[in-house]
Amino acid sequence: SWRLPSIEEIKDAAKSNPDIDDVDGWLWSRDTSATIPGNALTADLSQAGSAFERDKGSTLAWVRCVSDS
């Protein structure tokens, strides 16, 4: 089944500098901010280890799902 990746999965993927078509910038994770429930965590594949909180209504991040199979 398909799902949004966790922030740790995105940060781990960034360490290998993946070449993913049509992705330039921040990706949404499934993780909600611990302090602001209206925010979710995003990460940038070109900036390994970086994470940023964004309002869940923001259009400034991309969605890429991952599969467990």
Side-chain angles (χ1 to χ4, degrees), residues 15-69:
K15 292 176 187 174
S16 66
N17 197 19
D19 183 19
I20 301 174
D21 292 341
D22 302 325
V23 174
D24 182 25
W26 296 89
L27 293 173
W28 288 108
S29 78
R30 67 178 182 216
D31 300 315
T32 297
S33 165
T35 55
I36 304 172
N39 285 359
L41 301 180
T42 63
D44 189 335
L45 290 177
S46 68
Q47 299 178 30
S50 66
F52 185 77
E53 289 188 18
R54 293 194 188 278
D55 182 281
K56 290 181 181 178
S58 173
T59 60
L60 298 177
W62 297 91
V63 173
R64 282 294 183 260
C65 294
V66 295
S67 174
D68 289 327
S69 55

